[in-house]
Amino acid sequence: MHLDIGNALAGVARPGVSRDSLDRLDDRVARAHERIARGVDDREFGYAALALPEATDAAEIERAVAPLADSEAVLTVGIGGSALGAATVSAALGRGDADAYVLDNVDPRRANELLATLPLSETAVHVVSRSGTTAETLANFLVVREAMADAGVDWTERTVVTTGEDGPLRALADEHDLPALDVPEGVPGRFSVLSSVGLVPAAIQGHDLDGLLAGGRAGMDALAPSLYDCPAYGYGATCHALEARGATTNVLMPYAERLEYFAEWFAQLWAESLGKDGLGQTPGRALGATDQHSQLQLYRAGRRDKLVTLVRPRARPERAIPETDIEGLSYLGGADLGTLLDAEFEATEASLAAAGLPTVRIEIDALDAESLGRLLYDLEAACVLAGELMGVSTFTQPAVEWGKRAARGLLGGGDFEEAEAVAGKERLEIG
């Protein structure tokens, strides 16, 4: 991963961070790196995520999905970190040998429409839940299982499970002899993309798991006790410094359609990890060049509370723009769509810099397995570093757990005081 923070410096951007401030912050980065390295070595909860490129066994995943190698489609049934990582990898690397779909919400219309279009007899289903009790995931899986049975498909021959050591989903896998993989120990879901949680669909699609993990290992090897020597830490430290100076929103804007899901993945990673104790940047999602025509006005001329992170691959496939004699358009003829998209990237970056808004540029060599693995790892490491500098509990999500308990109580899954809070909602109805 290549990082350029020049447009986030004081004197260029408002808010911005001075080089002297970065130098002082670098001492704290060195101490944080020591803490992170110790946590990784000891496989402490959360920190164990940064060891996944070494701990994940690609061959084990490929053996587990071998019976599903004939699949025309793969459906991930999960929610949050149990689905977004897989969706990100599959979207970024493309179709491969199978189309990839995700059922990560309990909207009945979405479920009905998806199940009506899937070739169920040729669809692999990957069910992901650490506890095996996640209400949304288990409800959707029961719906998918029933749809397969109604279509005359033996769901037990089309299903692979990733879950914890025990729980209802593990018991179901044991009962029906389903291929089952372990959720990695000590790794929160949003940090689990470089494990079976995120890589099973990619394996079924025939993507290069070894390349993804090699990219992650390159990120591990690049961790160093200075923000100037480590792109991951450089990004995390810059985001932290800018938040402290008023950039409380971080808009991730990839200039590649296949990275649109990556922005979704980043939003969970950043929000759930760093939104603690009244702190944390609010992640925004945009897509270049599309959202230059829908959001750029706000970024350039709205509240000065934003950092825009621009992401692109340096290499792209080619698609020539046909020659034309239409007046005013002839300059496009003979150019390339990728060249145009890169010009849009450069123009957006320059536009924001001219308005004094901080931006950070992240580039990867190409949109391939190794570069993607490095990008995912580096953003995780950046998040961990930012959490260390902020002094928050990066790997917990108490607000999420509160909502889970409230929903379960409302559904009759137990007595939870959080559910009682729903009844006390203040109302002022109009219409």
Side-chain angles (χ1 to χ4, degrees), residues 344-398:
E344 299 275 14
F345 177 101
E346 303 278 356
T348 298
E349 185 179 55
S351 169
L352 294 171
L357 194 83
T359 65
V360 168
R361 177 190 289 208
I362 291 176
E363 295 178 306
I364 57 176
D365 292 332
L367 200 43
D368 58 21
E370 190 162 346
S371 294
L372 179 64
R374 175 68 188 269
L375 178 66
L376 293 167
Y377 186 91
D378 278 5
L379 268 292
E380 290 182 351
C383 183
V384 175
L385 185 278
E388 295 291 331
L389 297 176
M390 292 165 62
V392 299
S393 181
T394 309
F395 305 114
T396 62
Q397 53 281 333

Side-chain angles (χ1 to χ4, degrees), residues 135 404-416 419:
K404 287 181 179 179
R405 291 190 294 271
R408 188 166 182 177
L410 290 172
L411 292 169
D415 293 325
F416 297 93

